[in-house]
Amino acid sequence: MTTAVREVSVFGDGIAYFNQAADLLELDAGMRRILTHPSRQIIFSIPFQRDSGEMEVFTGYRVQYNFARGPAKGGIRFHPGVTLDEVTALAFWMTWKCAVVDLPFGGGKGGVTCDPATLSQNELERITRRYAAELVEVVGPDKDVPAPDVNTTPQVMAWFMDTYSMHVRQHVPGVVTGKPLEIGGSRGRVEATGRGVTICALDEMSHMGLVPEQSKIVIQGFGNVGLYAAKLFAERGCSVVGISDVTGAYYNKNGIDVHAAIEHAAKHRNLEGFKGGDKISNGELLTSECDVLVPAALEKVFTAENAPNVKAKLIVEGANGPTTPEADSIFKQKGIVVIPDIMANAGGVTVSYFEWVQDRMGYFWKESEVNERLEDVLLANLGELRAIKNARSSTFRVAAYALAIDRVVKAARLRGIYA
Ligand code: GLU
């Protein structure tokens, strides 16, 4: 039983990575103990009535992992696979992600175990509002700031913001980020995670001598991260040879027409029936011929089974937790460079931070300003990781955790323990 739990635990993967970097930093046992425990885990029931009148109960979660550097920050996920273990792992990763790009936030994450594909807009709105109402006391611009994640959209953020504002009886746009522009969202937020993935990828590609115009890219997942990453890679002259979503994977060695794929997905809600490439399985996609591979879906995509067959030279983790520690050490042995999730997909939370800042000022920036500041933040911190990686002969992942842990530990030590 214990072994089974260990095998499926996503948080377990996170802790394994944490320990590798903690060893490098020679972090003391007490601080390790503190940083491997979530500050707060909230679980609640969401009773709701379907449009048909049928009653159901879903489970909602919010984990506020760490507050040492600021309010908790992280998305809300609506997915059938959401569990306390997963949300805790994701909140843990947000802590390091915010620290790795030096944002004044801690880490949080939330979710509801449900399948949005089976829900009407009205049902989705009712679930979101009840979810938000349950969290009124514990979220807020200076407490915990949610954002979109898998299957949650700017519209969902608008409902969350409205529900919270109604409860506290004032307008509080900064309670969530990833909102529509009309109600205090930031320009550039929707594309930000995908943009960050391409910024990190192109920077490392130039260090590896991979010329964009001659590089083949494969992207797993065509949601908010994968779609914009594909678009931006194509705009930079790269050849996107493989894409995928829940309906399967599509491969074209001469390059997929990304624009056509985006239009297809917008029209049909997914890539089903897309004719711009040969249909292959998701497993085949991950081991197909390419230079750069971007997992941009869910956790535990690379395992000890498929990692030996991965042919990419560079993996850029658009998703959170796509690589198990076993797969990670295989990639290391094979000389595959991995830009880890907490760096590669930090573009989203970085522009969330910009949104939070703009909401507090009530003054909004031009898109070019947002994109420029995003690139500055990501490249400065990726540069720091490269320096640590080279000095310590480590991987980017260990360097990223080491930099992040060091920043959180400094804040935690300065604040001390309040007892
Ligand atoms: N859900 C995104 C992530 O995993 C964004 C979080 C945020 O913007 O707060 O990084």
Side-chain angles (χ1 to χ4, degrees), residues 73-75 94 97 109 147-149 189 320 348-349 352:
K73 184 84 193 82
M94 284 310 303
K97 191 186 301 183
K109 201 73 154 210
D149 195 80
R189 175 62 186 87
N320 292 310
V349 73
S352 275

Side-chain angles (χ1 to χ4, degrees), residues 73-77 90 94 97-98 109 145-150 177-178 189 193 320 345-346 348-353:
K73 184 84 193 82
I76 302 166
R77 177 172 293 199
L90 293 165
M94 284 310 303
K97 191 186 301 183
C98 291
K109 201 73 154 210
V145 187
D149 195 80
V150 175
T177 57
R189 175 62 186 87
T193 314
N320 292 310
N345 69 40
V349 73
T350 301
V351 177
S352 275
Y353 165 56

Side-chain angles (χ1 to χ4, degrees), residues 238-320:
C238 302
S239 177
V240 177
V241 293
I243 55 174
S244 78
D245 70 1
V246 283
T247 69
Y250 306 82
Y251 190 86
N252 184 338
K253 66 175 178 2
N254 299 318
I256 281 171
D257 179 345
V258 173
H259 188 69
I262 293 173
E263 275 195 349
H264 186 101
K267 199 160 155 208
H268 305 277
R269 289 187 68 182
N270 55 45
L271 290 170
E272 186 71 73
F274 178 61
K275 294 279 175 284
D278 297 331
K279 188 131 187 219
I280 59 173
S281 70
N282 230 300
E284 287 168 317
L285 183 84
L286 299 173
T287 55
S288 60
E289 241 11 281
C290 64
D291 299 294
V292 182
L293 181 51
V294 179
L298 298 171
E299 307 89 39
K300 290 188 181 290
V301 166
F302 297 119
T303 61
E305 282 74 55
N306 62 7
N309 304 322
V310 169
K311 298 183 190 67
K313 300 182 182 81
L314 171 65
I315 294 174
V316 185
E317 296 181 340
N320 292 310

